[in-house]
Amino acid sequence: MGFFDALHLARLQFGFTVSFHIIFPAITIGLASFLAVLEGLWLWKKDPVYKDLYFFWSKIFAVNFAMGVVSGLVMAYQFGTNWSYFSTFAGSVTGPLLSYEVLTAFFLEAGFLGVQLFGWGRVSPRLHYFATLMVALGTLISATWILASNSWMQTPQGYDVVNGKVVPVDWFKIIFNPSFFYRLPHMVLAAYLSTALFVGATAAWHLLKGTANVAVKRMLSMAMWMLLCAIPVQVLVGDAHGLNTLEHQPAKLAAIEAHWQNQPGEAVPLVLFALPDNDGETNHFALEIPHLGSLILTHSFNGQIPALKDFPKADRPNVAVVFWTFRVMVALGLLMLALAVWGLWLRWRGRLYQNRLFLRVALWMGPSGLAALLAGWMTTEIGRQPWVVYGLMRTKDAVSNHAAAAMAGTLITIIVVYLLVFGTGIYYLLRLAAKGPQPAASTENSHPNHSPARPLSAVDESLYDEEKH
C-alpha cells in the first residue's frame, strides 16, 4: 500500500475533520465553565465588571458552540461511509456511547442554551444562573461520553467477540475502562488551559492597544490564575496517564520514548532529541540523559520498560511522529508554565498589566493551548496504530472498500468547504474578541424587542459593524 491509497486517504480525511472539530468543543468546555464562574461572581459580589465580561464572552461562546456542533456532524457520517467495517465490528459499543452523549449531554446543553442566551431579563437571575450551570455541566458530560468511547477503543474490556462482532457484556467495565480515569481529566484540563490562554491573549491584545479598563485587566488576571493553578495539576495527571499507557499500551510508550532495545542491566535514558529511523530501527543525532527514563517510568535507577524491538514491526506505531508530537506537547506545556510564573512575578511587582514584553508573549501564546491539545491527540491516536480497537481490530481492516480516487475527491471537498465555512467562522470569532467587553449600561436589555430565533442570533454582531461606524 502507498501513502495515497484509500486507507491512508481515509485516515487523513478523518484526522483533518477531527483536528478541525476538536478545537471548538475544547473552547466550548472552557468557556461554559468560565461563564458559570463569571455569573456566579456577579450574583455573589454584585460587581458589574463580571456582568460585562459575561455578556462579552457569551457571544463568543454562542458562535463557538454552533461551529462545534456543525463540524462534528461530518465525523458521524464518516463512521458509516469510510469506516463501515469498524462500525459493523464495534458499533454495538461505540454506537450506544455516542447516543448516550446525545441523549444526556447534548439535549441538556441545547435545552438550557436557549435560556442562557435569550433569557437574560426574561427569567429570574437565579434561574438564568441555573441554566448557565446546566450548559457547563452538559459540556462536561458530553466530554465524559466521548472520552469513554475513545478510551474503550484504546483499552477495551467488558466485551465478547461473537461471530466476528463485539458484543457488550459489562457496561460498567466498558465505560470505566482502564484508561478512562486518566484521559478524561487530561482532556478537560487541556480544554481549560486552552481557554485560559485564549482569554489571556484577548486581554493582552486590548492592553497592547491601550484599552486598560477594569474588565480587560480582570480577564488577564483570571486567565493567569487559571494557568498557574491548572498546569501543575495537568503535569501530575499527565504523569499518571503515562504510567497507565506503559501498563496497557507499552508499544505506544516505547514509541513516545523512541526506546528501541533493552540490554541486560542497562537503564533507560530519557531521549531529549533524536531523529528516529523506523526502517533502520535506531535513533540518529540522539541527545540523551542516562537513567532518567528509568527514574520517571519505573521509579528505579536501572528499571527497564518494554522496547520497540520486543514487538513485531507490524504492531508498532510510526515512532518519529509519536516521538515529536509528544515533545511538542510537553514543550508547549513548559512554556505555559513559564508564562504563568512570569505573570505571578509581575503581579507581585505590580507590573502585570504594564509589561509590554509579557503582554506580547501572552498574545502569541494564545493558540498554544490548542496546538498542545492537537499534538497530544496525535500522540494518542497515532500511537494506537496499527490498531483501531487496540489488540482487536487493525485499522486496515476497518476501512470501507472505496476507490482511492473517491476518497481523494471527498477529502479535497471537505478541505475546501471547511476552510471556507470555518475559516469565516474563526475570523468572525476573532472580530468579536477584538471588540472587547462593553459597559453594562450598553449591553443590558440593549435589544428589548429582539426575539432571536436561533443561537447565532443572540450574538447580534455584524462582520461589518466597524465599517459602519
Side-chain angles (χ1 to χ4, degrees), residues 38 76 179 306:
L38 289 173
S179 63

Side-chain angles (χ1 to χ4, degrees), residues 48 51-52 55 438-446:
K51 191 175 180 180
D52 297 343
F55 278 118
Q438 303 298 314
S442 65
T443 55
E444 186 174 12
N445 297 322
S446 57

Side-chain angles (χ1 to χ4, degrees), residues 272-291:
L272 295 177
F273 176 90
L275 297 178
D277 183 344
N278 291 313
D279 296 328
E281 299 182 314
T282 187
N283 296 327
H284 300 295
F285 308 107
L287 177 62
E288 303 175 341
I289 301 178
H291 297 280

Side-chain angles (χ1 to χ4, degrees), residues 2 26 88 96 128 134 148 182 185 195 210 225 236 254 267-268 313 328 359 374 381 396 454:
T88 301
H128 190 273
M134 289 302 100
Y182 302 90
T195 305
W225 279 124
L236 294 175
V268 179
K313 276 191 173 182
V328 168
L359 294 176
L374 283 171
E381 300 305 315
K396 67 181 179 60
R454 56 192 184 280

